[in-house]
Every structure is written in C-alpha cells, then in structure tokens.
Amino acid sequence: MPLVEAVRRVIRPDDPKPYESVEKYESSKRHDDHAPAVLPLLACSVIAATRMANDGVRRATNYHSHFAQLLGGTDGVLTSAKYRAVAGMWQRLASWQHQWGAYRGICTIPSPGDLPHNQARIGYALSQAMLRATDRQQLPKFFEAVRQHHGSAWPLPGAVLVDYLKTWGQVYHFSPGFRGAAEDADFRPLVEKILGNFANIWDGSPHFVQHGVPRAELLVRYENRKLGWLARLSRSGEEEYELSDGVHMRRLGDSEYYSLDGLKLPDDRTLRGGLQLSGHGIAVGRPASSLLLLRQNNDLDCLTSVDRFVPGEEHMLLAAQEAERDVETVLARAASPGRRREPGRLPWMPHGWALHHRVIFNDAVTLRQAIREVKGAMLAVQPAPQYKAYLQGGLPLAPKFNKHLYLSGAEPELVLPDGATGEALLDGELPDPPFPTRGMPVSLWQRSLAPGKHRIEVEDTEISFLTAEEAPAAAEPELVAGFALTGHRARSFPVAQRVDAGLVRGAQLDGAGQGAVPRVVFCRRGAEKTVFVASDGRAWEVSEPVTPAWWDRLPDAPSDYYFEIELRGCGGWILQFRRGAWHAEAADPEEPAFIPGPERRGWVAAVLDAAEGSRDPLWQSFVRRAEEAGK
C-alpha cells in the first residue's frame, strides 16, 4: 500500500501518545543492525515538510498543520505538543548514523550529545541540517585544495578540516549557516564529524557527482603477485560500459563485479589521490587514501580492497610514507601476534609504500581505541560498531543440508557486540571460562563442545548451531529416474523405478574410463607468476591459494612454504617466475606428444618464456618442440 496509508494505520491521532505503537516496535528492534524502524514515520515527516507554503490559510512556516493533514486527515489533531516523540526519533536516527560514521550513510542533523540541552529538540530534518545541498557541491573542490595545501595523509581528521573551513569557507561559498556552525563551540564537534565522514568517502575528484547517478565502487585486486582494478556495482546494471579515457568496463559472469580494460595499474598517484571515471549514466570512483586494505574475496578467490578492518580476519595492509608511523603505532598496540612487515620493496608495490602481511585484529575495542589516539588516515578504516552477536568462520559440514552444521572440533567463532556485559549463557549455563566483556571473537572450538545442538544467549539474542562427527548420509529415494536395461542395451526413454531395479543413471562409465587417480605435486609459494605446461600441449596459469583461517588449529600445522597442485591424467612442468628469473620444476613429465596448431600458442609462449628455467634434457625437449611449433 502507499507509504502514507501504511503509517496512518499504526498511529492514533486522537490519543495523547499517537506514536506509541511505533516507538514500542522500534524499541523491540533496537538491537538489530538495520536502520531504526521509525524510518517510515520520519519519511512522512519529510513529505509534510515539502508541502510547507503560504497558501492563504497557512503560513509558510506552519509545519504541524501539514503533518496533521497528512497523517490525521484534518488540521489540529497532531500538534507541536505531540511532536516530541518524533523529534526523539530523528535523534535516534542521527545517533545511529553517527555511530557508524560514513558506513551507513552520512547524517547532517545533530544527535542528542551534539547539542546543548536548550537546543536539543529537532523539528523536521531540513530545519536543522548543518549542511545544505549547495555546501555538498563545494566539498570536492574544498577537499582538493586542502589536500594540496596540507600535503599529508588523507583523509584528514575532521578537526583539521574545520580549521581550514573557518579560513576558506567564504572563498568556497559555503552557506552562512554551515560556516556559523563551525564557529559555534556547541556545534563544532558535529561539523567535525560531518566533514570527517565526507572526507572518508571522497573519491579524489574535484567534480561533484549529481544525486541519482549510479556509482560503481572502484576496487583494487591482488592476484598472482600483481595489483589490478575491479569495479563493483551493487544495483543491477548493463553488461558493459564505455568510460572516460578509453576505459572499457565489462561484467564478470553473473556477479556484481566488472573488469576494467585500458586502465593503468594502481600506483602511488592513483591510490593517494583517488580516481574517478565517468560514462553514460554512471560514475566509477575510489576515495583518496594513504592506506590500502585488502582481504580475501571468496566470490573472486583473490584479495580485494575493503573499507574497514574486520576483527578476526586476516588482512594485507599497504601504507604510504606519511601514514606509516600511524600504522606501525596501531599494529604495535592492537594487532595479534604473527603479523609480518616486508623489509624491502617488491616489484609490484607502489613506490614509497610499505607492506604488512597477515594483519589480524582480534579485539575490535582495543583497535578502535588505538586508531582514535593516532587519528589521521587510520580513522577511515576502523571497524564498524557491532551491535549484536553473530557466528563467523568454522568448518561447515554439510551446508546443503544445514547452513549451521559444523564439524565437531571445528566450531565457529562467536563475535560479541561492543561493550558486551559478558553475562552470556552457553547451553543454558555460564561458560567456563566466561566470555570476555570486550568486542572480540570467542573461539568456540577451544571449548570442547560435545556433538549435538548448542545454544548461546547473549544481549537478549539467541544463536544456535549444530555439531557432528561426520556429515549426515543422504537419504536414497524409493524411486529414481533412469534407462532400463535389456541385455547390454539401454532403452531410449527414461522411466521411474525402484533404486535396485538395475537402471542406468547419469553418466556411468566402464572400468577403463573411470578417471585417473590424481597425483599431488608441491609448488612453492611467493612466485610472481606460476604456469603449468602439460605434456599434451595444454597450459594454464595457477593461482596461489590463501592459507585458510583454520590452518593454525591443526595440532601439527604443516609448513605453508608450499601449496598442492592436483594432476589428473597428465604430467608436465611447473614454471615459476621468482626474483627476476624463470624456474622449471618437473611434475611427472613425458615427452611432448601433440599436433602443433593455433590452439597451442599459450603452451608455446609459456615454454619459450621459461626456456632457461632448467637444464634437464626432458625440459629441453619441451623447448625444442615449442621452437618448432612457433615457426
């Protein structure tokens, strides 16, 4: 039904507390991660504000008459005296958005703690917004000037940006209200928050993108010892886009990700200064930043850039020179043991940047405290507030049967909300030892839980999961579809019969063609590029797998110096480019036996590139065959 009609059904205009049912519902959902449940009512509040005008009966400032007409059907039923509850809802929304920074949108109205008591009542959003639409259009040019003048890490703290605003505000035509708020001691903290949040998401371009234009997020990817670009468009878009500077954007399969052809690989300038491209009806951009934070992307099986740290997850962190001191300070105070700093510069790294491997923060509260002490560019990547408990990690046993079924001994981790009291129950009893009171993951697999169902109660939230020693067996159906046999011939049309009726089901092969048992060979980690060339003329690039999160749970953790490659029915050579030279290692090779043709060009190119990789006579036969095929 229409929005206004839906809201009318849940308010009681003639009652002294007309919005009580909305308040109760919102209060029951307050521990949820989603936006406050009062948004429909606040949307009606904005609709009423848009109707304010002098119509000969009402003055242009008469808001409550329009609000009463909209939701009550007549003037006077929803007076200003009854509006205090709605003002509290605006404050609830503002407080929620400010807690999340720019992670959940940017709020430009005050939250209760931002204003003195005598100014803390909010009417409708437009009347007390600190930032006008014209101010937002000036922010990109203002940020560009500040960054060039300051010459340091980006984003800058809000307090520094307010100092520039007080000096340059009139030059960049900011509204008198916004400049006045920056000068007011009561409103300055709010202006600092607003500018700091906008600086965090600024894409580095001095041009303002009009509201409503689809925006794709420009991501950095790390794969095969090389940085590259990706774009992510959350809403459904076209299969391809033509962007400025000859860049072509093409969707990857059915995903929300796009490849970008024709765009120079990430370097110091594009990372520190941000990047924005435009096309027909779309804008693609990445904020300016002195930090590059990457984490494993399970959809793409590679590392991609992310906005914030996620406690308990492994990250790779690149820092420009001006941000390195802050990064080192935060890592020393809050990072878990095991992190590693790359002492020298690798060929794929941006010039002047430092690299940190295997960065994990298990304690989100300690991490936020450390970041707030150093401020600077680290403010943009602090983890988002956590309001409710949830499970992460673990080894799912049979996700197709049950997404919450885990292998016994490989249970998930419990992530507690920030500021949790610790009064949590595990299977109806206080856990021993008790859960920590800070917002950090709890390793449930260390609790020696018996197989079966387990229940966790924390902060008015209940979470349950199952554990088992092995996956459940799939139940066989009574009837199956297949092709009935007559002697050694199968019928042309399928029939449904009992399982034991001797039907041919699926692709049943004879004993000679059941597939070779895979052979496992080891491959060294850390190569800039790894290619496998088979004896039958095939070649493909090998991706280095990421060490799984459960690796350190093994009682005798094997070395992660190598990773495994499975060879099914073929042998060949593993070619790796390490430290400026190719190396060829045998993987059950045979003399190359295939008919040369255009489809072998990849094999020929790979073998000729690594021709000096080994002096083995068998490898030299591969090189000779490649030279012959390449003529």
Side-chain angles (χ1 to χ4, degrees):
M1 65 181 67
L3 170 69
V4 174
E5 176 62 27
V7 176
R8 281 178 180 172
R9 294 194 176 194
V10 295
I11 66 170
R12 299 187 298 273
D14 297 326
D15 195 276
K17 296 181 178 180
Y19 315 108
E20 187 174 21
S21 62
V22 178
E23 292 178 284
K24 288 183 177 180
Y25 180 75
E26 190 269 339
S27 178
S28 68
K29 300 293 183 181
R30 189 161 292 185
H31 293 288
D32 204 336
D33 281 341
H34 299 294
V38 297
L39 280 181
L41 178 59
L42 297 185
C44 292
S45 176
V46 174
I47 292 173
T50 65
R51 299 182 179 181
M52 293 170 61
N54 190 336
D55 57 5
V57 179
R58 307 175 186 85
R59 291 182 299 172
T61 57
N62 190 335
Y63 165 72
H64 293 287
S65 177
H66 289 283
F67 193 55
Q69 187 71 39
L70 182 72
L71 294 182
T74 182
D75 293 351
V77 292
L78 295 174
T79 63
S80 59
K82 296 180 178 180
Y83 197 77
R84 188 175 299 275
V86 181
M89 295 176 193
W90 278 114
Q91 292 177 333
R92 164 74 180 130
L93 174 64
S95 177
W96 178 82
Q97 280 196 296
H98 284 310
Q99 284 178 320
W100 283 88
Y103 197 71
R104 299 287 190 181
I106 295 177
C107 185
T108 59
I109 61 175
S111 58
D114 293 319
L115 297 175
H117 179 70
N118 62 335
Q119 301 181 47
R121 184 176 176 186
I122 295 175
Y124 57 92
L126 184 62
S127 68
Q128 290 188 313
M130 296 290 102
L131 201 68
R132 304 280 176 171
T134 53
D135 295 326
R136 293 188 63 170
Q137 294 177 13
Q138 300 302 318
L139 282 180
K141 295 179 181 178
F142 172 69
F143 289 154
E144 175 71 13
V146 171
R147 185 179 60 184
Q148 291 182 1
H149 183 270
H150 200 83
S152 183
W154 190 270
L156 293 171
V160 176
L161 295 172
V162 169
D163 290 337
Y164 280 102
L165 173 67
K166 292 165 65 176
T167 305
W168 297 350
Q170 194 165 359
V171 176
Y172 286 92
H173 307 291
F174 286 113
S175 65
F178 188 50
R179 287 186 279 118
E183 299 281 355
D184 191 308
D186 291 326
F187 285 91
R188 174 169 174 142
L190 175 63
V191 179
E192 291 180 359
K193 288 181 182 179
I194 292 172
L195 284 179
N197 288 341
F198 272 109
N200 288 348
I201 62 170
W202 176 49
D203 61 12
S205 169
H207 305 291
F208 178 75
V209 177
Q210 292 294 332
H211 180 71
V213 175
R215 302 193 63 155
E217 182 183 5
L218 193 59
L219 304 177
V220 179
R221 72 186 299 173
Y222 174 75
E223 190 173 23
N224 297 323
R225 311 292 288 179
K226 184 173 66 176
L227 294 179
W229 293 110
L230 282 172
R232 180 171 59 195
L233 183 60
S234 56
R235 67 174 70 181
S236 59
E238 304 294 334
E239 290 296 318
E240 298 183 9
Y241 292 95
E242 290 292 340
L243 306 179
S244 53
D245 300 328
V247 178
H248 188 72
M249 183 169 150
R250 183 182 295 106
R251 186 193 297 275
L252 297 174
D254 295 329
S255 70
E256 60 183 357
Y257 297 96
Y258 289 78
S259 64
L260 290 107
D261 301 326
L263 184 59
K264 183 182 177 183
L265 296 181
D267 57 17
D268 174 65
R269 183 185 64 83
T270 52
L271 292 177
R272 294 176 71 228
L275 186 62
Q276 186 182 65
L277 303 168
S278 59
H280 181 65
I282 190 172
V284 185
R286 170 177 167 75
S289 180
S290 303
L291 297 174
L292 177 60
L293 188 63
L294 300 113
R295 194 172 68 245
Q296 177 68 12
N297 186 316
N298 293 326
D299 294 332
L300 301 177
D301 194 25
C302 65
L303 298 180
T304 57
S305 58
V306 292
D307 296 331
R308 294 170 177 257
F309 285 114
V310 175
E313 295 286 332
E314 185 173 291
H315 303 81
M316 187 168 78
L317 179 61
L318 286 160
Q321 187 174 6
E322 64 268 21
E324 176 61 10
R325 175 181 292 182
D326 290 344
V327 170
E328 288 283 3
T329 301
V330 171
L331 293 179
R333 294 179 182 178
S336 302
R339 66 184 179 89
R340 188 177 71 191
R341 186 182 189 278
E342 186 65 40
R345 182 178 179 275
L346 299 174
W348 55 269
M349 287 173 54
H351 180 72
W353 289 55
L355 171 65
H356 298 268
H357 289 287
R358 300 176 182 175
V359 176
I360 301 176
F361 295 99
N362 284 326
D363 188 342
V365 176
T366 301
L367 173 58
R368 288 196 197 93
Q369 290 174 346
I371 288 177
R372 287 166 185 162
E373 290 175 7
V374 302
K375 297 183 178 179
M378 293 294 288
L379 283 172
V381 296
Q382 61 179 314
Q386 181 58 42
Y387 293 111
K388 69 175 184 180
Y390 66 93
L391 300 175
Q392 71 175 17
L395 186 59
L397 195 54
K400 291 185 178 180
F401 289 102
N402 189 329
K403 294 182 179 180
H404 305 291
L405 175 63
Y406 299 89
L407 179 66
S408 184
E411 293 84 357
E413 291 183 329
L414 170 66
V415 180
L416 294 170
D418 297 346
T421 62
E423 297 177 358
L425 299 178
L426 176 60
D427 295 332
E429 300 179 356
L430 288 174
D432 184 23
F435 292 153
T437 58
R438 305 172 70 84
M440 64 176 68
V442 178
S443 298
L444 297 176
W445 59 274
Q446 295 178 335
R447 302 269 169 166
S448 300
L449 301 179
K453 184 175 182 178
H454 300 281
R455 187 180 73 258
I456 299 169
E457 299 169 72
V458 56
E459 302 292 330
D460 300 326
T461 303
E462 182 175 306
I463 304 172
S464 61
F465 63 95
L466 296 166
T467 60
E469 297 287 355
E470 59 183 13
E476 281 285 352
E478 293 184 3
L479 298 177
V480 296
F483 300 88
L485 287 172
T486 303
H488 296 286
R489 300 172 65 88
R491 296 282 182 88
S492 301
F493 299 96
V495 294
Q497 294 184 11
R498 295 182 58 84
V499 176
D500 56 359
L503 298 179
V504 178
R505 301 168 58 192
Q508 294 187 348
L509 305 177
D510 58 21
Q514 291 183 355
V517 176
R519 296 192 297 276
V520 176
V521 295
F522 293 102
C523 187
R524 282 182 57 176
R525 289 184 178 271
E528 295 181 40
K529 187 174 184 180
T530 301
V531 180
F532 179 78
V533 290
S535 303
D536 58 8
R538 293 177 296 161
W540 55 86
E541 194 165 336
V542 178
S543 297
E544 181 177 312
V546 176
T547 302
W550 45 262
W551 194 259
D552 56 358
R553 297 190 186 185
L554 301 174
D556 297 315
S559 169
D560 59 356
Y561 188 67
Y562 291 92
F563 64 93
E564 296 179 356
I565 297 179
E566 286 189 353
L567 306 180
R568 294 181 177 270
C570 67
W573 293 80
I574 298 173
L575 311 180
Q576 289 193 309
F577 189 74
R578 303 191 301 263
R579 297 185 178 182
W582 282 98
H583 303 268
E585 298 182 9
D588 296 329
E590 299 176 353
E591 286 280 351
F594 57 87
I595 300 174
E599 70 276 10
R600 310 299 184 187
R601 285 179 296 185
W603 185 93
V604 171
V607 172
L608 293 180
D609 284 344
E612 303 298 325
S614 174
R615 297 184 180 275
D616 189 292
L618 191 52
W619 171 245
Q620 292 306 315
S621 70
F622 272 65
V623 175
R624 288 193 299 271
R625 190 57 178 269
E627 291 172 343
E628 295 171 0
K631 291 181 181 180

